[in-house]
Amino acid sequence: MIQLVKKAFGFLVLLLFFMSIIAAGCLQGGGTSTSSPVKSQLSSTSSTEPFKYTELKLPPGNHTILYLGEILRGSCPPGTVGVTFIYRQNGSNVSSVSVRGTFNDWKEWHMKKMANGSWILRICLSPGTYQYKFFIDGKWVKDMSKVDPTADSYVNDGYGGKNAVKIVRGERGFNLNYDPSNPAYFSIADNRTVVRFKTGIGAVESATLVTSFGEFKMEKQLWWSSGEVWRAEVPLMKPFKYYFKVVYNGSSVLLLNTSAEPFFYFDGVDRFPQVQWVSRAIGYQIFPDRFYNGNRSNDAFALQSDELWLNEMTDERPILSNWSDPITPLNCCHQYFGGDIAGITDKLGYLSSLGVKLIYLNPIFLSGSVHGYDPYDYYRIDPKFGTKRELKEFLNEAHKRGIRVIFDFVPDHSGIGHWAFLDVAARGRASPYWNWYSIRKWPFKLGDGKAYAGWWGIGSLPKLNTTNPAVENYLLGAVMYWLKFGFDGVRVDTPTDLANADEFFSEMRKRVKAKYPDAYLVGEVWTLSPGWVSGDRFDSLMNYALGRDILLPYAIGYLGGKFAMNMLGRYYASYGENVVTMGFNLVDSHDTSRALTDLGGGSLGDTPKPEAVKRLKLLSTLLYTLPGMPVTFQGDECGFLGNKDHYDEERYPLQWDKCNQTLVNHYRDLAKLRESVPALTSSKIKFYTAKEGVLAFFRGHRDEALVIANNGNNATPIELPAGTWKEVWPNDAGAISGEVKVPPVSVLVLVREESGG
């Protein structure tokens, strides 16, 4: 029953009638319910402690027993409702229909064709309101009101069409979710085995993870308006059996696997290994043409290969500008300024001073534009950026400084100047590359998006047929070629747009990890999409869902502390802890307005407003203190401005002589903070409290650090956790306890006095 039901079978269970089933589910051992004493407690150093394996047995006494693995196949799990989507075609010859919506992160779930010609999909959804569209033969339905009369209503989709709305009614009830095949519930992070379950808010009074190596007290780690996550970590990675013991309404409840196999079992194999170096790194994104010009002799090469010379649907021509020339309407794509690989090499010392340990390069391969997302040759460096020798020198110099580099990979589409596409344009069906693309009519003019399939219908970006094995081998061969050349990972452009995305990226991961297990694989997915990071495709997504959807509105002041914490709770509950610590965490990029502009700082050419700079410091500090790798878009540390809606001015060349050195020093100090407080680079986050404009969370496996942010304009007092704390950010202050007053628009970082950070 499609992915959602398969996941649901992975151990969603309703606990609504605990008390009514005690008699039917009790173990006979005589006496009242008992709990075994805790044999071991967790600590960040406990991975070196000896743990003795013992045969796991069920405890004596009366306990409610619930088998999490015995949900009937084909039925909807408790707390969800069966929903049917139907498409009735109007006599047209349709070969494929799928549903994409807010319930599946707009991914493609295929519908089944029935004997009467209708297409049907049945899934299980939690009560709520969802938007969706049909995706027919590779095209979105523009107006769902014309094809789906079963919808409850319709809303504008923001692109001139209409989405359908489905309202799922029912009682959410009280449920507990656990699926050991899902990294959100079971993962290996920081060389620890992390086990979690989700439940309703306030449902569980206490919980214990009972294993072959002893009992581990679980703690309430995260929460949001309707749920919470309980967590325990086993400080080793060996095979063991386990079950859960929880207290609900004063009753002891055992959560087991099945009646036949009562214990869950971990075989000790880490099937989704954490790329260890990522969590300790600081990332920096470089848009090469606009970063720094280190070799002026290659500037003119930019004009030679530009797509506008080939495109028969326009009479525009590219321009080559001086570094500080005014922005033009061609800025996005065809106004060149001369930045290159030699320029990046020249700036490696500066990047090292920022603590940068990873550089993400926008495309550097032969293409027809400034941005490079229209590649002509996946195996060739674009001459405007330099030579292969210069690239090798750059990688070597970066590696000497401990800086890794990942490249941008564009598998969905090429440019019209790609040699295979030009051969198709010239020879039609006689071309051996005819099936590399989806051609609707031939002959055609280059740039005519109606003659062939293009990315989002754009004629300069013809879609590659990635289901063709020859295309797949060509593309994945390029990935392996550049990793062998010396790159340390791959950022993938628009992976969701591939027709065979699941299969393609699973194959990519197999090939890459077999030879380069430490390579970092990042997918450009903007939404909260845990399915993409479940162990078979990417290590991380570009986490706009964290940076732009939560941290940015909080830093602006749009979200209060509790609301922001609710959003963070849902976010961190969705991903495995191993995924979280490999997070590619960013707020802005070449595809968005600059963070300082979003914060109200102004547009290109303005003097940034002081209040916006203050909020950028708050925002960046949060980014640097959350799990995962903070990634800075080039020039943000200088306080540069740029509005995407004005010709993508966020991509304007960095005017290094106007760099705000005070802000640069702020980013340098953040790097030193992460290095001096190891808890900030650990995988674990645990919520503490939120009120007014304040949110506070612990970092570290023993909650060694406490991060407290305040986006309000007034100082707010917060009661501290028990013990003595020391402020290490923004000042190195003395010991404090009891209460702290959090200044307006600021972040405090405290460490336990006993731990010394």
Side-chain angles (χ1 to χ4, degrees), residues 106-125:
W106 297 97
K107 289 178 62 178
E108 192 170 7
W109 285 1
H110 291 281
M111 304 174 75
K112 182 179 180 180
K113 189 173 184 179
M114 311 305 289
N116 64 1
S118 298
W119 296 76
I120 292 180
L121 174 67
R122 296 185 178 93
I123 59 176
C124 299
L125 295 176

Side-chain angles (χ1 to χ4, degrees), residues 172-446:
R172 289 184 176 271
F174 171 63
N175 56 70
L176 184 144
N177 305 345
Y178 180 66
D179 177 359
S181 68
N182 185 336
Y185 299 93
F186 194 102
S187 65
I188 306 297
D190 289 357
N191 299 313
R192 295 163 167 83
T193 303
V194 178
V195 186
R196 311 195 302 178
F197 64 74
K198 300 178 189 177
T199 187
I201 192 78
V204 172
E205 297 172 23
S206 65
T208 304
L209 175 68
V210 185
T211 79
S212 307
F213 292 101
E215 297 189 0
F216 298 86
K217 183 179 179 182
M218 302 187 77
E219 58 184 350
K220 186 166 67 172
Q221 178 194 15
L222 312 166
W223 58 85
W224 57 98
S225 57
S226 59
E228 57 194 34
V229 169
W230 287 71
R231 175 191 186 276
E233 62 180 45
V234 180
L236 43 76
M237 296 178 295
K238 294 181 178 180
F240 62 86
K241 294 180 179 180
Y242 65 99
Y243 65 92
F244 302 97
K245 183 165 55 179
V246 304
V247 175
Y248 169 76
N249 275 356
S251 175
S252 176
V253 183
L254 304 183
L255 305 177
L256 307 179
N257 183 19
T258 66
S259 54
E261 296 287 343
F263 303 128
F264 297 98
Y265 177 68
F266 171 49
D267 62 7
V269 178
D270 185 0
R271 291 175 173 80
F272 189 3
Q274 172 186 340
V275 180
Q276 296 283 342
W277 58 264
V278 176
S279 64
R280 300 185 295 274
I282 292 171
Y284 193 90
Q285 181 191 347
I286 291 179
F287 194 84
D289 183 68
R290 311 296 173 77
F291 183 68
Y292 190 67
N293 192 341
N295 182 2
R296 296 185 182 277
S297 68
N298 57 34
D299 293 1
F301 291 136
L303 299 181
Q304 294 180 5
S305 60
D306 189 86
E307 168 255 325
L308 295 181
W309 298 111
L310 297 173
N311 196 317
E312 298 173 281
M313 307 299 290
T314 181
D315 57 1
E316 288 187 318
R317 293 294 178 260
I319 58 175
L320 179 60
S321 300
N322 293 316
W323 196 253
S324 301
D325 281 354
I327 196 171
T328 76
L330 292 175
N331 178 67
C332 149
C333 311
H334 303 288
Q335 181 180 10
Y336 298 91
F337 287 90
D340 49 31
I341 293 167
I344 304 171
T345 305
D346 288 347
K347 287 289 186 179
L348 283 174
Y350 166 78
L351 295 174
S352 290
S353 78
L354 295 173
V356 170
K357 295 299 180 184
L358 176 126
I359 293 173
Y360 153 45
L361 286 181
N362 285 108
I364 58 170
F365 309 119
L366 183 63
S367 72
S369 67
V370 170
H371 53 68
Y373 290 101
D374 52 349
Y376 290 178
D377 193 329
Y378 288 75
Y379 292 77
R380 183 182 172 192
I381 300 299
D382 199 312
K384 67 176 175 279
F385 293 137
T387 64
K388 189 177 286 189
R389 180 187 58 77
E390 287 175 309
L391 179 62
K392 177 62 77 172
E393 179 186 358
F394 159 63
L395 291 173
N396 289 340
E397 290 299 319
H399 290 158
K400 286 178 184 178
R401 293 170 168 81
I403 300 175
R404 291 174 167 89
V405 185
I406 64 175
F407 66 91
D408 220 328
F409 173 50
V410 189
D412 179 75
H413 49 271
S414 73
I416 57 175
H418 191 281
W419 48 265
F421 189 73
L422 290 176
D423 194 78
V424 169
R427 302 168 62 187
R429 289 186 179 274
S431 170
Y433 309 108
W434 176 264
N435 290 323
W436 281 40
Y437 298 91
S438 299
I439 309 300
R440 300 190 181 110
K441 65 177 183 179
W442 183 86
F444 55 77
K445 291 184 176 181
L446 293 175

Side-chain angles (χ1 to χ4, degrees), residues 399-683:
H399 290 158
K400 286 178 184 178
R401 293 170 168 81
I403 300 175
R404 291 174 167 89
V405 185
I406 64 175
F407 66 91
D408 220 328
F409 173 50
V410 189
D412 179 75
H413 49 271
S414 73
I416 57 175
H418 191 281
W419 48 265
F421 189 73
L422 290 176
D423 194 78
V424 169
R427 302 168 62 187
R429 289 186 179 274
S431 170
Y433 309 108
W434 176 264
N435 290 323
W436 281 40
Y437 298 91
S438 299
I439 309 300
R440 300 190 181 110
K441 65 177 183 179
W442 183 86
F444 55 77
K445 291 184 176 181
L446 293 175
D448 182 3
K450 296 180 180 179
Y452 45 84
W455 181 73
W456 285 30
I458 299 174
S460 62
L461 302 174
K463 280 182 70 70
L464 286 158
N465 177 15
T466 51
T467 64
N468 183 333
V471 174
E472 179 184 77
N473 286 328
Y474 169 76
L475 292 170
L476 296 185
V479 170
M480 301 303 292
Y481 176 84
W482 291 114
L483 289 174
K484 182 179 180 180
F485 187 82
F487 282 95
D488 303 286
V490 186
R491 180 268 192 186
V492 178
D493 181 62
T494 64
T496 59
D497 292 325
L498 271 68
N500 62 332
D502 290 354
E503 298 80 6
F504 184 93
F505 294 112
S506 293
E507 180 62 22
M508 185 184 82
R509 183 178 185 87
K510 288 176 185 176
R511 295 193 193 185
V512 169
K513 294 294 184 176
K515 196 163 186 178
Y516 306 101
D518 225 20
Y520 185 40
L521 304 180
V522 182
E524 188 206 6
V525 179
W526 289 51
T527 57
L528 185 70
S529 304
W532 284 94
V533 280
S534 57
D536 59 345
R537 282 164 286 178
F538 299 115
D539 296 317
S540 179
L541 308 179
M542 294 186 74
N543 290 325
Y544 293 104
L546 173 65
R548 291 195 74 76
D549 295 353
I550 305 175
L551 302 184
L552 178 60
Y554 172 76
I556 293 172
Y558 291 164
L559 305 179
K562 286 186 177 180
F563 198 91
M565 184 165 278
N566 278 343
M567 296 180 72
L568 287 171
R570 292 180 183 276
Y571 178 88
Y572 286 114
S574 299
Y575 292 115
E577 198 161 293
N578 59 334
V579 174
V580 164
T581 197
M582 292 188 288
F584 189 97
N585 301 338
L586 75 168
V587 177
D588 58 347
S589 71
H590 66 290
D591 281 327
T592 73
S593 295
R594 285 194 175 273
L596 192 54
T597 291
D598 287 324
L599 291 166
S603 297
L604 185 67
D606 295 339
T607 299
K609 296 179 175 61
E611 176 69 14
V613 173
K614 195 173 182 181
R615 292 190 177 273
L616 179 62
K617 290 182 177 180
L618 180 151
L619 176 59
S620 55
T621 304
L622 271 177
L623 197 68
Y624 273 62
T625 53
L626 286 167
M629 176 179 62
V631 181
T632 300
F633 178 49
Q634 62 177 42
D636 278 356
E637 79 282 2
C638 289
F640 292 145
L641 299 161
N643 187 343
K644 177 173 177 57
D645 292 337
H646 183 241
Y647 306 131
D648 282 287
E649 66 182 25
E650 77 278 2
R651 303 178 183 182
Y652 189 70
L654 303 190
Q655 304 301 304
W656 291 101
D657 59 333
K658 298 179 180 178
C659 193
N660 183 330
Q661 289 303 315
T662 299
L663 200 51
V664 169
N665 289 335
H666 164 79
Y667 279 84
R668 287 172 174 157
D669 289 342
L670 283 175
K672 295 173 184 175
L673 173 69
R674 278 173 59 89
E675 187 175 354
S676 64
V677 183
L680 297 179
T681 56
S682 73
S683 64

